[in-house]
Structures are given as C-alpha cells and as structure tokens.
Amino acid sequence: MAFDGPKRTDFKYVGTRPNRPDGFDKVTGRAKFGADATAPGMLHAAIVRSPHAHAKILSIDTSKAEALKGVKAVVTRADFSTSQTGENWNILENIMAGEKALYDGHAICAIAATTALAARDAVRLVEVEYEVLPHVTDVDKAMADDAPVIRAGAADASVPEGLHPNVVRYHESGHGDVEKGFAEADLIVEDSFLTEATHQGYIEPHACLAQLGSDGKGEVWCCTQGHFNVQKVCAALLDLETSQLRVTASEIGGGFGGKTAVFIEPVALALSRKANRPVKLVMSRAEVFRATGPTSSTSMNVKIGMRRDGKITAAQGTFRLQGGAFPGAPAEMTAMCAFAPYALENVHQVGYDVMSNRPKQAAYRAPGSPMAAFAVESVIDELCKKLELDPIDVRLMNASKEGTKASYGPKFDRIGLVETLEAAKAHPHYSAPLKEGQGRGISCGFWFNHGGETAVSLALSEDGTAAISVGTPDIGGSRASMALMAAEELGIPYENIRTTIADTATLGYNEISHGSRVTYASGLATIKAARDAVDKLCTRAAAKWGIDRDAVVWEDGCAKPSGHNAGDFDPLPLAEITKDMGATGGPIVGHFEATPEGAGVSFATHIVDSEVDPETGQTKVIRYTVVQDAGKAIHPTYVEGQYQGGAAQGIGWALNEEYIYGEDGRLQNPLFLDYRIPVASDLPMIDTVIVEVPNPGHPHGVRGVGETSICPPLAAIANSVSNAAGVRLRQLPMSPPRILEALERQANGG
C-alpha cells in the first residue's frame, strides 16, 4: 500500500518539542523493564553454554544437576519442535544446539530452579562430552579452500558453483559497463578494507518471564523490539497455536536492532511447560556478548575511477560478510547501499554471505550500510586528495537526485542528499580552521527505510481525549510521535492523547520495530486511524444537523458545515460529539491495518574533526556535525537524539569496539571492561542539522532517521583520522596500535 491521500504542510503540533510521555516513569524508576517482571511461584533459569567454537556434542548428562535441591526442570534440544525448516530451524539451532556446538557460548541445555543461585550451581554440574572440531572465525579464512565446513548444504540457489560451502548467499547488482567507465577515468583508486564485528551495546541484557501450561496456553513478558515476532517464533518452535500465546513487550533498555531476534523466550517457555511454573530468564553481560547477535565483520574491496574534474566514471565493490554460524549476514544490503549516494553510469557490486564459528549476527542500525560507506567513502576521499578537489563539491557533482537510477536498480523519488551536502558546506564547521595534527573527514550515508505490516487502533473517550494502541515497541520516542501526529489530525492537545504499546492479543500483527519503520509506518497508520475517527465524528455531526456527511468538514478539532449551502450551524467540538456517543451510535474508534510501501529512502552527510598523537596513536574526536534529511521531524528533540546516538555509536565502532577471538575461537572480551563503548568523556559535543525534504509516501512527509544516522560515521571518522595522521587507515577499529603500525609502515616506505 502506497500512501496517496492528502498531505499536511502546515502544522500546529507536529514539529514541536513537548515532554516525552514516558519520561516521568523512567526517571522515577516506575517503568518496568524486562527483568522487573515477577510471578507467584516463579523459577529462575540458567543456560549451559559451549566452551568450544566448534564441537560435536557426544552426550549430555544432567543427572547431577537434576538431583540438586531446588532444580525443577531441565530442557535440551529434544524438548523443542522437530519439524522446523528454513529460518525457524536456524533460530532453533541457535537458541539450543542440536548435534554440534557452533560457536563459543552456544546454548547446550537449560535449567530452572527455585533460586537464581541454585540454577547457576546446577549449570556447573551438567557434564557434556564434546569432540572438538576445527573452527574458523575470520571471514576471508572461512572462504578459503581449506576452511572447515560449518554446515554442508546451507547455501541457497543464489550461490555460484565453485565457492566454498561456507558461502551461503550471493548478491550481484549494478548497471552500465564498468570496464568502459574505468577506461574513461583520469585516476583509479582501488583498495581493501576490514571491519570487525561490534555489539549494539544496549545497557539492558535480554530478559523474559514466561508461563506455559499443559493446555498450550502461555504468556511471555520480555524486552524486545518485536513481540509479535516473539509470539510467532515461540509458537513455531514449541508447536503451539499462535493465538494461545500472548506476548507483552516491556520497556526496552536499548536495542538498536539487537533485540529484533529471538534468543531466550522459547527456552523459558519450554522450561515452564516442563515445570508447570513461571520461569524467569535473564542473561548476564557475558552471555549477551557471547550468545546474542553482534553485527557482521567484513572484508571489502572497492575500486573507483574519477575524471580530473571530480566526475566518477565507474565504481566496483566486493563485500564479504560473516554472519556467524548461520545464513543471514546482510551482504546484499551492504552491496546495495555502497554506491547508493551517487548517480553512476557504470557500477557493479557483489556481496557474499559467509558462515563462521561465531554467534548468529543480528541487525545493528542499518545492517551492512556503515561498513560499505567506510570502504567507498574512504576511496572517494583518497581520490579527492590526489586530484586536489573539495570533498563536498565532488559529492555534490555526483550526488543522487530525484530520478537518479540507484546503483541497485530503481529510480529514486524525491530525496534530500543534495540538501544535506549544501547544508554541510554552509555550516561553520566545514570552514573552521584546523590545528597541526588535526584532520577533517566527510562522508555520506544511505539507508532504504521500511514499511512493514502495521495495525493501529485509536479510541475516543467521552471527555474528548484519545487513546492510541500501537503494536511497535517504543525504541526511539514513537509514543510521543504518534500522539503528536494524532493531535494534528484530531485537533486536540498532545497532552490529551495517550499512546500504549498493545500486546499480541489486542491488535493485528505488527512487524518488528526495525528498519526505521515505526514513525513512518505506525505514524501513517495512526494518521489514517485518526482520519477514520474524524470521518465518524463528522458522520455523527451530520446526523445531528440533519445534513449529508459530505457537507461536513473537520477543522481545528471541530465539525463544521463545509459552506453556507450546508447550513448555518456553530462548530461542534470533538468533546461535544463524544460526550453523547453512547446515544448516537456507540463508541467512536478509528482503525487502520496495512503494509505501507512508501517509506522513502534517507541520506545523511557527516563532518568530523579529530586529532592524532603520532607518538601514542591515541585519537580524539574534537568536533562532530550531523546533517540528515528527516523528511519531517515530528518531534525534533527525538530526531536530534537519533542523530547524536548514531554518531556516538559510530565513534565507538570506528575507534575502540571490536570482537576479539583467540586462536581457540573463544571470545576474549565479553564484558564492558574489555569491550569498551564510548563514555561521555570520549565524546565531543555533537551538533545536528535537520534537513526536511518531505517524503511523498507519508501524509506528514516523514522519513525514518534511526538507521541512516549510523551510516556515515565510520567513513567520516576514518577520513578524519587518516587526514590527521597523514596515512590511510583501512581497518576498523582504528586503535592506537593499528595507527602506530600504519605510521611505522609508512615511515619504512610501505
């Protein structure tokens, strides 16, 4: 469904900055997160995890654990459905190992006991016999001829013949003749780049409370970005009727894509079914790092040709991503995002999804796009330096515009990349002087955005207030945005509207809160539900006045005659209509259910200044500016927060964060002490510029903002650090040892 209804351009509530509706609960501790749930008779669960990166499971002896006082249930793979195929099989294999442990931290069995301490003690009593197998954790090594095969037959039909069985999906796209384009170039730069896997770094670990009776009826309370997906997956893995399982989303202490996946809820349900008691399961931080989904690590090659005037004549990229021991690395999205900011006549991109002995990867804000931008924008920066061209002018010359044929196929509708580049060039940051040892970096970034299945209900109360029920967990301020959009349509104050995240028994299916879809899709549905309610309000007013419905319009929260010919009636406010609705036809509720398809792509341009100490390799980001097209900023404060959050996470990804695996295939840094995310003292003040080029696919012009904000940082910071250090950095994170190594290599003529 593409939106084709009336669009608003004048706003009373949209674009304002009211207080967030969940603010009081959050600051007072009243908000309930995943681990806050309790139930009478509740048991506590713990999971036995593999200490090996790759091993056959020869036997599991739980007898000693079961004999421990307080232990009430033990589950293994045998306690789950045996009929799963496709992605459900992958999810099941990930949450509870079958014949083999496929990565360090892979779940082997789970135990429920009367206390958390008893459950942890019981875990240590489980005896598992393994046959250790060869492992591989590096994406390039996983594609080598001598790499151990993780799972034969996992590749789909897209994979060309002759590739290693660990290559499980293949993507190729582009247009034009790249060889012809390279022949027309005055300068060609070709380079290779590496990025390590990073974790989303959410503060709240995964947690759930589950209850499942012998009658097949169950309840789950969990921290998730998609409780309808939790319901669907759990029902499948436990052979339940979907409608008999009710899932409620708690408040969420960070997700960033990492809580779109299912890791523990089916395990808690299986234990509950066996013990016939509620079971609570909360991951430790080490478990979060070892056994939930980080982003992919990558190995990339990019080649770009450019004329002396800055015109790009051809671009080619190869992107290899490992997604852990399962298919699913976003190789196709990495390839498609790579050159999307540029109008190219000759472009070709290839993506490889490669399995390795690591955890099953999960989304992390625009999955795949930040890595692609790092490689492509680094090469463009190098071309600009060699040709002595302004990096923003070059990007403006080549920028995608409305009507541009995207590198991955379709033509763009109205987009705002040029506007972000122009705003960046006009910003004082871009012309500010730099000191010795400092460097400036520029990067563009792109994300598709997404619609997805969405349902919303809007109920009016007799006192003229409204309640909105949405099915998308609030991970970025969506409750405020929904209330603002509804207020705009109904013509009543923002404070008179409450938005609630409904459980799975209340609304139709809602896709996960991901892909920057919520403000767009749930917002569109909220607007349409409000307009449905307005139509019913106008119908009631028409009946009261004895005129046709078509003769009534809605303005400023009131029903009014459409003109003098319709009759001479005073405006009828919403509250005047709703106070009598029981006697005039019953409750007034607006609904909307659809799969919106006009999400509209999004672009951003970032400017970064950094300084590098050549003696220690230490890097400090000293200034950061985000310029991004929001389409229409519904709540500008939330939008700015998304911009700043993407930049902050990008700083960590570019400079510090990485998964470090030892020769034994075990994760060496599964705690925040060793996996260091940026803290306040590591970050500069992050300036933001909101560009608004309305998305024609949304009634208020909205584009998603949460994903795009993390696309440019890796490249912008890499360009800044490379310019400050005087040497090109091609591997992330750019830690002090890597910077010193690059400086030493350059000094030795390397």
Side-chain angles (χ1 to χ4, degrees), residues 6-174:
K7 297 176 178 60
R8 297 289 298 270
T9 56
D10 56 323
F11 297 102
K12 180 179 180 180
Y13 298 105
V14 164
T16 61
R17 301 173 184 257
N19 290 335
R20 55 189 298 165
D22 55 337
F24 186 81
D25 288 352
K26 296 265 175 80
V27 300
T28 60
R30 193 166 67 185
K32 300 298 183 184
F33 292 86
D36 291 328
T38 60
M42 180 179 75
L43 302 176
H44 296 264
I47 295 177
V48 177
R49 299 191 178 276
S50 169
H52 305 293
H54 198 195
K56 284 185 179 178
I57 302 170
L58 302 179
S59 65
I60 305 172
D61 184 353
T62 62
S63 58
K64 292 180 181 178
E66 292 180 76
L68 187 69
K69 183 180 179 181
V71 171
K72 300 298 181 182
V74 177
V75 297
T76 64
R77 178 62 171 272
D79 294 284
F80 295 89
S81 171
T82 59
S83 61
Q84 300 307 308
T85 59
E87 182 58 16
N88 278 348
W89 187 91
N90 290 325
I91 296 170
L92 176 56
E93 182 76 0
N94 187 43
I95 66 164
M96 192 63 65
E99 297 177 357
K100 294 197 298 182
L102 299 175
Y103 57 88
D104 169 45
H106 199 169
I108 306 298
C109 70
I111 296 170
T114 51
T115 67
L117 181 60
R120 291 195 293 270
D121 287 344
V123 159
R124 289 191 277 270
L125 297 176
V126 175
E127 297 175 354
V128 185
E129 185 180 357
Y130 298 97
E131 177 188 334
V132 178
L133 301 171
H135 68 271
V136 61
T137 58
D138 177 83
V139 63
D140 288 320
K141 291 179 180 177
M143 296 178 69
D145 292 340
D146 59 351
V149 177
I150 295 169
R151 178 154 56 92
D156 69 15
S158 68
V159 180
E161 292 185 9
L163 295 177
H164 193 282
N166 289 340
V167 180
V168 291
R169 290 187 305 139
Y170 175 86
H171 169 87
E172 185 173 5
S173 59

Side-chain angles (χ1 to χ4, degrees), residues 257 262 567 722:
V262 174
S722 296

Side-chain angles (χ1 to χ4, degrees), residues 309-619:
D309 64 356
K311 181 68 175 178
I312 298 174
T313 61
Q316 191 171 51
T318 301
F319 307 92
R320 297 168 289 272
L321 288 80
Q322 65 78 25
F326 306 89
E332 71 279 14
M333 289 188 281
T334 304
M336 290 192 289
C337 290
F339 302 108
Y342 304 109
L344 305 175
E345 293 183 11
N346 307 294
V347 60
H348 180 245
Q349 53 260 335
V350 173
Y352 295 89
D353 177 359
V354 185
M355 294 203 303
S356 72
N357 293 114
R358 294 197 185 202
K360 188 178 192 296
Q361 72 87 223
Y364 181 8
R365 295 182 91 156
S369 183
M371 300 88 102
F374 164 55
V376 170
E377 299 287 316
S378 293
V379 172
I380 290 177
D381 193 68
E382 198 66 20
L383 285 160
C384 292
K385 286 180 64 178
K386 291 179 183 294
L387 293 172
E388 298 182 346
L389 298 171
D390 181 274
I392 288 187
D393 287 343
V394 167
R395 286 168 171 84
L396 278 167
M397 176 184 291
N398 295 283
S400 292
K401 305 176 179 67
E402 183 176 358
T404 295
K405 181 178 174 64
S407 57
Y408 56 91
K411 289 186 177 181
F412 288 126
D413 206 326
R414 191 179 181 196
I415 56 175
L417 174 59
V418 167
E419 287 81 353
T420 70
L421 284 162
E422 290 173 340
K425 187 170 184 179
H427 196 281
H429 183 172
Y430 191 60
S431 56
L434 291 169
K435 298 178 181 178
E436 185 178 351
Q438 296 179 346
R440 179 163 296 145
I442 301 295
S443 175
C444 294
F446 163 84
W447 185 245
F448 308 94
N449 293 328
H450 179 56
E453 297 162 273
T454 309
V456 165
S457 177
L458 185 150
L460 297 176
S461 301
E462 289 184 345
D463 62 359
T465 58
I468 308 169
S469 296
V470 301
T472 41
D474 184 353
I475 62 172
S478 58
R479 278 176 288 212
S481 297
M482 300 307 118
L484 282 167
M485 286 184 271
E488 198 69 58
E489 296 296 325
L490 296 173
I492 62 176
Y494 164 86
E495 293 77 14
N496 288 2
I497 302 173
R498 178 169 181 170
T499 306
T500 300
I501 313 303
D503 62 54
T504 58
T506 307
L507 283 174
Y509 186 87
N510 274 262
E511 196 174 315
I512 299 165
S513 292
H514 68 155
S516 286
R517 81 175 208 87
V518 175
T519 306
Y520 165 73
S522 290
L524 185 148
T526 295
I527 291 166
K528 298 281 274 187
R531 291 180 179 179
D532 183 34
V534 164
D535 182 64
K536 294 170 182 176
L537 288 164
C538 289
T539 300
R540 302 286 176 97
K544 181 173 182 177
W545 291 332
I547 62 177
D548 291 339
R549 163 63 185 89
D550 292 344
V552 180
V553 296
W554 190 261
E555 294 177 359
D556 299 324
C558 298
K560 299 178 181 179
S562 59
H564 294 298
N565 292 337
D568 187 15
F569 303 102
D570 292 333
L572 195 58
L574 184 148
E576 286 295 311
I577 301 172
T578 57
K579 74 175 184 179
D580 298 323
M581 61 186 178
T584 60
I588 299 175
V589 182
H591 297 278
F592 186 74
E593 301 84 21
T595 303
E597 296 175 353
V601 300
S602 178
F603 293 89
T605 301
H606 289 200
I607 313 170
V608 183
D609 293 351
S610 64
E611 59 185 18
V612 176
D613 185 333
E615 294 186 1
T616 66
Q618 181 184 11
T619 297

Side-chain angles (χ1 to χ4, degrees), residues 241-305:
E241 292 182 8
T242 305
S243 62
Q244 298 304 307
L245 183 62
R246 181 187 182 201
V247 182
T248 303
S250 70
E251 293 289 348
I252 184 169
F256 314 110
K259 289 177 181 169
T260 59
V262 174
F263 296 110
I264 59 173
E265 292 85 0
V267 177
L269 281 166
L271 286 166
S272 176
R273 178 163 62 184
K274 210 162 191 179
N276 199 29
R277 288 169 65 174
V279 172
K280 185 174 185 175
L281 180 50
V282 180
M283 278 186 154
S284 68
R285 181 60 57 186
E287 286 182 300
V288 169
F289 275 112
R290 292 174 65 209
T292 67
T295 189
S296 300
S297 59
T298 68
S299 168
M300 302 171 287
N301 303 99
V302 169
K303 180 180 179 181
I304 299 177

